Amino acid sequence: MKKIFSLFCATMFMLSASAVDFKLMRDPLQHSGKVVRELAVPALMMQKKAAESSVNYAITVSNVAATSASVMVTPVNSSTYFWDLMDVNTYDSLANGLYADTYGYPDVFSYCKDYLDYVIELYASNGYSLTYADLIYSGVDAYEYEDLDSETEYVVFAFQMGADGVGVAPIDTVHFTTAEVVASTNVITLSANAGVVSIATTNNDPYFF
């Protein structure tokens, strides 16, 4: 997950290119000073695990690898909605109100609305005006995640949200777990001749030089 500086840099680049893509927030849900993975999971994990649901949205997760996955959300009606992804421990803690006292988030809806408030404030501080209506979705939406943690269970969630930024139950969810990182078998050989360095590899795995 990128820190907020990366979000800011990407935002300014997209705006300067006149091609704003609000999927900038698609790194597992984050907030200034309260990056979602830094929300401390309560020591006593007494919350029940949120059951998967697909009442209003067909959520498809494919091409799951160690650090990447493809997600598509298809609503069954024309209502606008919000969707995102976060690790299962954080999601279950939010869903069961365990962050209400510590962070002021009694549920998933309040966290998401607070995040959108932050995005709106970020744009406003740089002279751009956004509303909730600019940050929610209608119709089919999809995203390719590329910076996930390996061997981690995630929850993709979607719920109805109107132009007032207020979420409406129920929340539809799908769980998936990223794969284990497999060590590369690539053997890299360096050779030098008259100041020219040559690199030979045994396969096409990426490497840094």
Side-chain angles (χ1 to χ4, degrees), residues 1-7 10 27-28 30 35 37 143 147:
M1 176 174 52
K2 296 186 179 80
K3 300 298 183 184
I4 201 62
F5 178 73
S6 298
L7 172 65
D27 290 303
Q30 58 187 347
V35 177
R37 289 185 197 154
Y143 191 73
D147 297 308

Side-chain angles (χ1 to χ4, degrees), residues 77-193:
N77 57 49
S78 59
S79 299
T80 53
Y81 65 98
F82 179 82
W83 76 272
D84 218 299
L85 171 155
M86 63 175 68
D87 70 273
V88 67
N89 287 335
T90 301
Y91 181 86
D92 286 346
S93 295
L94 283 168
N96 288 280
L98 299 186
Y99 290 143
D101 294 334
T102 305
Y103 296 101
Y105 300 128
D107 50 33
V108 175
F109 301 119
S110 61
Y111 185 87
C112 293
K113 186 175 185 297
D114 193 41
Y115 175 71
L116 295 183
D117 286 340
Y118 171 72
V119 174
I120 291 171
E121 291 170 5
L122 175 65
Y123 276 74
S125 68
N126 289 277
Y128 299 94
S129 178
L130 290 181
T131 66
Y132 295 119
D134 297 314
L135 300 171
I136 55 180
Y137 300 89
S138 61
V140 178
D141 194 62
Y143 191 73
E144 303 285 335
Y145 287 94
E146 298 181 347
D147 297 308
L148 303 178
D149 287 339
S150 62
E151 299 178 84
T152 300
E153 184 177 0
Y154 286 97
V155 179
V156 181
F157 59 95
F159 56 86
Q160 182 177 332
M161 178 182 281
D164 56 1
V166 176
V168 178
I171 301 177
D172 285 3
T173 59
V174 165
H175 294 232
F176 72 94
T177 301
T178 50
E180 179 183 0
V181 173
V182 178
S184 174
T185 59
N186 196 10
V187 177
I188 301 173
T189 303
L190 299 178
S191 59
N193 182 20

